[in-house]
Amino acid sequence: MAEQKKVQEQDINQLLKVRREKLAELQQNGKDPFQITKYDVTHHSMDIKEGYDELEGASVSVAGRMMFKRVMGKASFCNLLDLKGNIQIYVARDSIGEDSYKDFKKYDVGDILGISGEVFKTKTGEISIHASSVTLLSKSLQILPEKFHGLTDTDTRYRQRYVDLIMNQDVRDTFIKRSKVISSIRRYLDEQGFMEVETPMLVSNAGGAAARPFETHFNALSEDFKLRISLELYLKRLIVGGMERVYEIGRVFRNEGLDTRHNPEFTLMELYQAYTDYHGMMDLTENLYRYVAKEVTGSEVITYNGHEMDLSKPFERITMVDAVKRYAKVDFDAIHTTEEAKKLADAHHIEYEDRHQKGDILNLFFEEYVEEHLIQPIFIIDHPIEISPLTKKKPENPEYVERFEFFMNGWEMANAYSELNDPIDQRERFVAQEKLLAAGDDEANKTDEDFLNALCVGMPPTGGIGFGIDRMVMMMTDSAAIRDVLLFPTMKSLDK
């Protein structure tokens, strides 16, 4: 086995050497492809195929990567891959000239070519281009994966996404859809009167979520800064400033582990709307998800991991207490103290920490018994105050807050509040968070005095929501892991 691998490596090294020799020969003959600075492209492959009736016999110019070549004496065929797909090229010596044809025969799979020629159909009915000129635009000095096996090693696909995009059409389609997801979100929100804004990534106080931040040092100010874990507190400042509907789509950073749903840097969309509450945010979420699904997939019914999810129907709304009652057969309305809640957790073998209170344990029951069942779109509403430090209390039941989490496929897809705008209450919540921090909870929030000052200036009643864009893209593209929808996911260095 080792000997076979050694022979394969020798063969590859020889092929790589030949490619460099071909480049050197081109350069010696004044045909260095890297000296070419532009090529005028008139059409893409799919444009030609879809518009063949109008383009038959027309002159076109395309450019892309040669993925296949078959030389047959005085005429050859090759396949060119561009942004939108691939198209067959017919290259004849008599059409492009003897010298050009001699050069073409030496070109390698992976080389980038510019082709000018006439659109036609072969005898077998394949839409093609009869080349009148072939221009080598870039020489590939590396060897692409073997055609029939493609690039299948997952680790290599993520590390060399550029090769993955070349070899796997479905991967390119996923990232085209990702772009459509984000552009359709923007289009919908813009039409609803929201304004897109940008807020700092480097912050002195990383608040707005329960997460461990990345830390860095700013040399110019000789101060430690953090990468943001959320967009929330700055966007709320803008609501205070009178910007009634704002949103941001941007990267946030959380110093946590890697798995199929988590990457330490990911794309978050948060929006805030003055003069509404979490019920308004539920309505917005339903409408936004339907709109995006229709724009990206053409349907309000999507399939993920074999589960069909109908976004056209009203999304169910159920309290966290009732959800736990439904799936765990435990009624937390009948639990009145933390001690009772801990005894209940012991009886159900649910682990908790000494600092946990009744509301924390309700949430642990929810995670243990409920989440996996939430396949169809559903809002889990009215969370315990202990796990919601930035949320407005329910006036009729101050142990709970006006918050919802939106679930699909057993995953949290969005998190929303009726935002807490009482600066006195907010300070008390921050004090409680500081105590948790001192007790060893490194995901607790620190007091943000400037944010408290903003609330003292006065923030109107506001609804806010955060969407995980990457999970939304996973759902819209039926992708199994978050790395499949991130062009360059975080990977451990190969030299570690």
Side-chain angles (χ1 to χ4, degrees):
M1 191 72 177
E3 185 62 29
Q4 182 182 4
K5 185 177 180 182
K6 185 177 179 182
V7 171
Q8 288 176 340
E9 289 176 352
Q10 289 174 343
D11 289 344
I12 290 172
N13 290 335
Q14 180 59 32
L15 291 171
L16 294 174
K17 182 175 178 232
V18 169
R19 291 198 176 204
R20 290 185 179 269
E21 289 172 350
K22 288 180 180 180
L23 174 62
E25 182 181 349
L26 287 166
Q27 291 170 331
Q28 289 168 6
N29 294 331
K31 298 177 180 179
D32 185 353
F34 300 124
Q35 296 294 319
I36 296 174
T37 59
K38 63 174 293 189
Y39 187 83
D40 292 328
V41 175
T42 64
H43 295 78
H44 283 88
S45 56
M46 194 56 63
D47 302 331
I48 294 169
K49 290 179 177 180
E50 291 178 349
Y52 177 75
D53 291 343
E54 292 77 29
L55 290 172
E56 183 182 10
S59 294
V60 297
S61 292
V62 297
R65 191 178 299 275
M66 183 165 66
M67 300 300 293
F68 168 79
K69 184 175 74 167
R70 184 170 77 249
V71 177
M72 305 179 300
K74 297 179 182 179
S76 302
F77 284 95
C78 70
N79 187 280
L80 206 70
L81 175 70
D82 64 15
L83 173 67
K84 297 184 179 180
N86 58 73
I87 192 164
Q88 180 173 270
I89 312 295
Y90 174 66
V91 184
R93 184 191 66 182
D94 294 343
S95 298
I96 68 170
E98 190 168 342
D99 290 342
S100 291
Y101 190 65
K102 191 182 298 182
D103 288 338
F104 171 77
K105 289 197 292 184
K106 294 180 180 178
Y107 296 160
D108 294 302
V109 167
D111 288 349
I112 297 175
L113 308 179
I115 306 287
S116 292
E118 186 177 293
V119 178
F120 79 108
K121 262 186 189 176
T122 63
K123 291 178 181 177
T124 59
E126 183 167 356
I127 297 170
S128 308
I129 299 172
H130 186 152
S132 57
S133 70
V134 178
T135 306
L136 179 64
L137 301 175
S138 183
K139 181 68 186 168
S140 175
L141 301 179
Q142 186 56 272
I143 298 169
L144 293 176
E146 195 273 322
K147 176 184 174 184
F148 294 102
H149 296 96
L151 182 65
T152 56
D153 178 73
T154 302
D155 191 72
T156 304
R157 285 182 51 231
Y158 296 148
R159 292 184 187 278
Q160 298 183 20
R161 183 67 85 186
Y162 42 92
V163 180
D164 191 24
L165 291 167
I166 293 168
M167 300 305 300
N168 296 313
Q169 176 68 44
D170 58 334
V171 173
R172 275 185 290 145
D173 290 344
T174 292
F175 288 104
I176 290 169
K177 284 183 177 178
R178 180 187 175 99
S179 179
K180 288 181 178 178
V181 166
I182 294 172
S183 62
S184 62
I185 290 172
R186 285 193 166 104
R187 192 157 49 248
Y188 179 81
L189 293 178
D190 292 348
E191 289 172 357
Q192 300 301 311
F194 283 85
M195 180 170 66
E196 185 172 11
V197 297
E198 294 174 310
T199 60
M201 290 190 183
L202 280 174
V203 295
S204 57
N205 187 349
R212 184 186 298 115
F214 287 94
E215 298 184 3
T216 188
H217 185 74
F218 187 4
N219 292 333
L221 295 180
S222 191
E223 286 186 23
D224 290 334
F225 276 73
K226 299 176 178 65
L227 292 175
R228 66 186 180 186
I229 60 174
S230 168
L231 312 174
E232 180 168 346
L233 300 186
Y234 280 99
L235 291 176
K236 285 182 179 178
R237 286 168 167 91
L238 298 180
I239 295 292
V240 170
M243 294 183 174
E244 295 180 0
R245 299 188 181 203
V246 294
Y247 76 96
E248 181 174 8
I249 298 174
R251 283 291 173 112
V252 296
F253 309 86
R254 298 183 182 180
N255 200 345
E256 58 191 16
L258 296 162
D259 61 31
T260 56
R261 285 184 282 164
H262 295 88
N263 195 72
E265 58 172 313
F266 61 97
T267 303
L268 183 64
M269 189 275 285
E270 289 196 32
L271 67 84
Y272 293 85
Q273 179 180 342
Y275 311 114
T276 191
D277 62 4
Y278 73 143
H279 293 290
M281 292 296 101
M282 284 186 246
D283 294 339
L284 185 147
T285 301
E286 282 199 38
N287 294 331
L288 176 61
Y289 258 79
R290 290 185 189 119
Y291 180 89
V292 172
K294 191 73 185 252
E295 289 280 302
V296 175
T297 72
S299 172
E300 292 179 353
V301 179
I302 63 174
T303 300
Y304 185 83
N305 194 29
H307 297 295
E308 191 175 89
M309 303 173 206
D310 190 348
L311 302 174
S312 67
K313 299 175 181 176
F315 298 178
E316 184 181 0
R317 305 180 183 194
I318 182 174
T319 67
M320 182 178 282
V321 168
D322 285 342
V324 169
K325 192 186 301 183
R326 176 186 294 178
Y327 293 105
K329 311 304 180 188
V330 172
D331 184 3
F332 266 79
D333 281 338
I335 305 298
H336 302 294
T337 67
T338 294
E339 289 69 27
E340 289 179 89
K342 287 183 175 179
K343 287 180 181 178
L344 197 62
D346 291 336
H348 287 77
H349 307 291
I350 290 179
E351 295 183 4
Y352 56 86
E353 299 176 24
D354 288 341
R355 63 180 175 82
H356 281 154
Q357 299 179 55
K358 173 189 167 185
D360 298 298
I361 293 172
L362 167 61
N363 188 54
L364 292 174
F365 268 84
F366 173 77
E367 291 173 350
E368 178 70 24
Y369 285 99
V370 180
E371 285 190 1
E372 64 180 315
H373 298 288
L374 307 180
I375 304 301
Q376 295 301 316
I378 185 171
F379 295 113
I380 301 297
I381 68 174
D382 299 350
H383 291 50
I385 193 170
E386 291 89 343
I387 62 169
S388 311
L390 298 166
T391 314
K392 186 171 286 193
K393 296 174 185 174
K394 292 182 68 64
E396 71 279 11
N397 190 353
E399 288 187 4
Y400 296 90
V401 296
E402 294 190 349
R403 174 184 174 186
F404 75 77
E405 289 175 297
F406 172 51
F407 279 83
M408 290 175 65
N409 190 53
W411 300 350
E412 178 202 333
M413 304 298 293
N415 186 24
Y417 313 149
S418 295
E419 302 297 334
L420 179 59
N421 61 343
D422 178 347
I424 298 170
D425 188 356
Q426 182 63 80
R427 182 173 289 281
E428 292 172 356
R429 309 274 191 100
F430 275 139
V431 168
Q433 288 286 299
E434 291 278 6
K435 288 179 181 177
L436 292 176
L437 196 65
D441 182 358
D442 54 8
E443 294 187 351
N445 282 219
K446 289 184 177 180
T447 302
D448 188 327
E449 290 293 347
D450 183 71
F451 175 65
L452 287 170
N453 184 63
L455 291 186
C456 285
V457 171
M459 186 174 85
T462 298
I465 190 165
F467 287 92
I469 298 296
D470 306 306
R471 290 187 188 179
M472 184 186 233
V473 175
M474 289 172 68
M475 205 69 64
M476 298 294 172
T477 58
D478 199 9
S479 297
I482 192 170
R483 290 182 176 187
D484 295 327
V485 300
L486 297 174
L487 280 167
F488 301 103
T490 303
M491 305 287 288
K492 186 176 182 179
S493 299
L494 288 172
D495 56 359
K496 294 293 185 184

